[in-house]
Amino acid sequence: MKQVNERIVAPVESIGTAELSQWQPPQVPGVEFADEATSKALASPTDFPSLADAIIEGDVVAIAVDPNVPQVPSVIRGALQAIAQTDASRVTVVVRDEATDECFESIQNAAKPHLVVRHSSDQRQAQSYLAADLDANPIYLSRELVDADFVLPITSMRHSAPGQRGDVTGIFPAFCDSATRKRQHSNPAVNGETPATTKSGRSIAQEVPWLLGVQLVLSVAANPAGEAATFRAGTVECLQRVAEGFFSSNPSGTSITDADLVVAALDGDAAQQTWENVLRAVLASAELAGESSTLVVWSEVTDEPAGKMLELDQPTEDLLEPVESLGEEDLPTWNRFDALAQRLRPLLETHRVILHSRLSREIIEPLGLGVIESAGELENLCKGFQSCLLLRAAGFACE
């Protein structure tokens, strides 16, 4: 079993094309003691009182966890140590359902004796009504979050283009019911269009955390090696400003949008080696390089795909059944691979995508993906391209 804190290092030295550009988080040394850095950040947030002043006696606290956070067990320990200095009556840790079993177990061990739950989008009893969306469809959210007096999201710092109106809290739609999540995956805004706004001027992704009452967010930024490097606690507005333009471009002779080949590395620990992060890497690569480029994702993914991922040769519109066909009180079954397939299929129509993983060629190739098995194969592939864009820590590049 792969340990969650085991480092994954992509063989970037194998990329030797004539024109090489890099797109990466800021070069900052990794933090050795993430628990201490977490507690320190929560003691002095930006534009908000300390955690000790924000939580009052008897408050029920819920921590909403993005499992992609670097060194996530240590970060959870640090947050719980900070909360222990308050008069909170109870703490529950709610984890996104994309967490691997190993990652979830590591969070459970770090959070003992507190309750740790994995969010279940398609279980009605695990949801509470929050609001209606712009089309008057109900939005349900994790009951643990809705019932809490104080919600603290812990999330990875990701790139947010100016005006993108994304959710830096990581709440929406990851902690919503399955019907809401399926509608969101079918939303044109998911594919880069400007999302519609509510009467408040916020997008629905921003409105949901506001209605939930989220005031303070802890965001952990990775460096190019995928290590926890920068810890920021602050208001949603503060972190939105920080997220805009978080990644940097370091071109050397070519525009990043002109590269013939993009190599996106899932730098980081084993918790980052998921199909969700493979999708994020492909999305970021396609956005930066445009159509017709070849995209390589260097990962160490071990989970075999399932669900609609095994039907990627089907038309895109057939990959997710319509939400409208479901009864009012019934939630559709949520399969994370179905949602991944819906977003990945259009990218395979416009790009050649090649994957390095720990899965066999017999599993990967039927998905419509190419396979690269070694650093030597990567080096040989790069020789066939005049220009290359290297995307470091690609699992943190976009949501």
Side-chain angles (χ1 to χ4, degrees):
M1 178 183 298
K2 181 181 288 295
Q3 298 299 309
V4 171
N5 60 356
E6 181 181 339
R7 308 306 304 172
I8 306 299
V9 181
V12 296
E13 67 280 355
S14 300
I15 304 172
T17 52
E19 296 177 292
L20 177 65
S21 303
Q22 292 195 47
W23 199 70
Q24 61 187 24
Q27 286 277 8
V28 180
V31 173
E32 184 176 0
F33 300 105
D35 52 348
E36 295 180 5
T38 298
S39 296
K40 183 178 179 180
L42 291 172
S44 55
T46 303
D47 299 335
F48 198 76
S50 69
L51 197 64
D53 292 329
I55 296 176
I56 64 175
E57 184 176 0
D59 272 355
V60 174
V61 177
I63 304 177
V65 179
D66 171 2
N68 297 290
V69 169
Q71 298 172 241
V72 65
S74 294
V75 173
I76 296 299
R77 278 194 296 270
L80 290 171
Q81 290 167 4
I83 295 172
Q85 305 304 313
T86 73
D87 293 321
S89 63
R90 179 166 60 89
V91 182
T92 302
V93 179
V94 189
V95 185
R96 286 191 194 181
D97 57 8
E98 68 180 87
T100 64
D101 290 340
E102 293 82 4
C103 180
F104 185 75
E105 183 179 352
S106 73
I107 293 173
Q108 283 184 310
N109 291 334
K112 288 179 179 178
H114 301 287
L115 175 66
V116 179
V117 298
R118 191 195 298 264
H119 177 57
S120 299
S121 293
D122 52 9
Q123 295 185 14
R124 176 67 70 184
Q125 66 273 18
Q127 320 294 323
S128 285
Y129 175 79
L130 180 71
D133 65 15
L134 293 171
D135 296 317
N137 295 306
I139 297 176
Y140 292 86
L141 210 62
S142 165
R143 185 178 298 276
E144 297 289 348
L145 301 184
V146 175
D147 291 348
D149 300 301
F150 188 92
V151 177
L152 175 65
I154 296 180
T155 186
S156 303
M157 175 63 68
R158 301 185 186 279
H159 169 73
S160 176
Q164 191 177 45
R165 297 178 139 349
D167 171 25
V168 295
T169 72
I171 296 293
F172 185 87
F175 290 99
C176 292
D177 63 284
S178 55
T180 298
R181 294 180 76 176
K182 287 196 173 187
R183 282 192 293 268
Q184 178 65 12
H185 275 272
S186 301
N187 191 325
V190 171
N191 298 318
E193 297 184 18
T194 302
T197 58
T198 63
K199 291 182 179 180
S200 67
R202 291 181 285 264
S203 67
I204 193 66
Q206 296 170 319
E207 186 81 355
V208 166
W210 182 82
L211 291 171
L212 184 61
V214 174
Q215 302 177 71
L216 179 66
V217 182
L218 174 70
S219 186
V220 182
N223 62 16
E227 302 165 328
T230 306
F231 294 72
R232 292 181 175 90
T235 61
V236 174
E237 294 76 14
C238 167
L239 293 180
Q240 181 68 50
R241 293 192 299 269
V242 173
E244 293 182 354
F246 172 65
F247 277 70
S248 61
S249 168
N250 303 114
S252 55
T254 181
S255 167
I256 60 174
T257 58
D258 292 337
D260 304 312
L261 173 69
V262 181
V263 178
L266 297 188
D267 300 284
D269 55 31
Q272 273 75 60
Q273 309 308 308
T274 66
W275 282 101
E276 283 82 0
N277 281 332
V278 169
L279 173 63
R280 291 180 178 110
V282 174
L283 286 168
S285 300
E287 179 182 352
L288 287 168
E291 296 184 4
S292 77
S293 296
T294 297
L295 313 179
V296 176
V297 178
W298 189 278
S299 78
E300 299 291 346
V301 167
T302 59
D303 290 342
E304 293 191 20
K308 300 289 185 178
M309 281 283 287
L310 303 179
E311 304 175 21
L312 283 174
D313 57 342
Q314 301 297 315
T316 305
E317 59 269 19
D318 294 339
L319 292 177
L320 285 181
E321 62 273 19
V323 174
E324 292 75 12
S325 65
L326 301 164
E328 183 178 349
E329 291 300 320
D330 296 325
L331 287 174
T333 299
W334 178 257
N335 185 310
R336 50 187 278 255
F337 287 109
D338 292 359
L340 290 169
Q342 187 190 35
R343 299 187 70 185
L344 184 59
R345 181 67 182 107
L347 297 167
L348 297 183
E349 295 174 349
T350 56
H351 296 84
R352 179 190 180 200
V353 180
I354 305 173
L355 178 68
H356 177 276
S357 71
R358 294 198 179 185
L359 298 170
S360 69
R361 183 180 295 271
E362 291 72 23
I363 292 175
I364 298 301
E365 286 186 337
L367 305 180
L369 302 174
V371 174
I372 193 165
E373 295 182 328
S374 67
E377 289 185 10
L378 177 62
E379 183 175 4
N380 289 333
L381 175 69
C382 292
K383 291 177 181 178
F385 294 86
Q386 178 66 23
S387 60
C388 176
L389 168 63
L390 173 60
L391 176 55
R392 299 298 306 269
F396 303 100
C398 66
E399 186 55 62

